[in-house]
Amino acid sequence: MGYEVWGLIRGQANPRVRHLRQLLGDVRLIRGDLLDQGSLIAAVERVQPDEVYNLAAISYVPMSWQQAELTGEVTGLGVLRVLEAIRVCSGISSSRTPGRGQIRFYQASSSEMYGQVRESPQTESTPFHPRSPYGVAKAYGHFLTQNYRESYGMFAVSGIMFNHESPRRGSEFVTRKVTLGAAKIKLGYERQLRLGNMHASRDWGFAGDYVRAMQMMLAQDSPADYVIGTGVTHSVEQLVDTAFRAVGLNWRDHVVTDAAFIRPAEVDRLCADPSKAKDELGWEPKIGFEELIAMMVDADVELLASSGGSAGEEFGTDSW
Ligand code: GDP
């Protein structure tokens, strides 16, 4: 698409870099850390980007109770540091608003901000009631992005993304845990899958569709926030049923619930109203739930067959 893409990497000898290079041959990498303001300023100065996408976060909800302060620093204050890096490098102050050619900023906001939902489906104007330190930190990033738009006239927008999945999803998240679990049981590597709350429901979509929406948001004439989701909700139990049926198994023979995966506060049901994105961006998801889960199960069967059953263990699926 004519993009030159740079990825920000953190840490010394980060073990994910090798994996990343195999996956994304064309992406150039630059060092920087959301905890380090100077490193972000240096990265923006070096790359001179037209667009910045902040997809970085501590994003696993259970971990946000274990490391609540770090989640606030990375997922919340990290947004401030990226916005400040853009502002400083663009020479924007309250008395000097950006001109043409300004850097456009995308913030990955989350449906977890709705938490205990006030209405269903959720729109751009549904009030937030986050239910985890992660949701609280994302709400901070969301409001700060709006605030930088209003304070400095920056082209800064948030996509309120509902859960988006793909075969690349970490195995600690329920979709991948289930597709990997079903594939392992099918191939005889395991007999049982232990899960938490089977009654929770989510609006699950395909990550590729959501990335397309991000790009469309930054290509608009004027900055605005959008809900991105499918508008269709399924329970964890329906997810499990779909994944196990895809490999010809009955989930009831293999899935057990385990209190270790129950969270201190739960988000029961999320469902997007993506009409604004459809009307203004012309965005619609191309891949539905059944197709998404079948894609993930197929990819996991293939991965396990080629790796001798050890796939997905780099992240672990331990309880929190
Ligand atoms: P989240 O919506 O960002 O928290 O995404 P997750 O994929 O981590 O969790 C989605 C839902 O699945 C939540 O309501 C969880 O409580 C529920 N769930 C049930 N069992 C599990 C499990 O074993 N692992 C995870 N990650 N979630 C589970």
Side-chain angles (χ1 to χ4, degrees), residues 60-61 112 163 172-174 177 194-197 200 202 236 261 263 266-267:
Y60 184 45
V61 170
E112 287 290 317
N163 299 51
E172 68 273 42
F173 293 89
V174 76
K177 184 174 170 182
R194 306 182 80 81
L195 295 174
N197 178 11
R202 290 290 183 277
V236 172
F261 295 106
R263 300 172 179 189
E266 178 63 286
V267 173

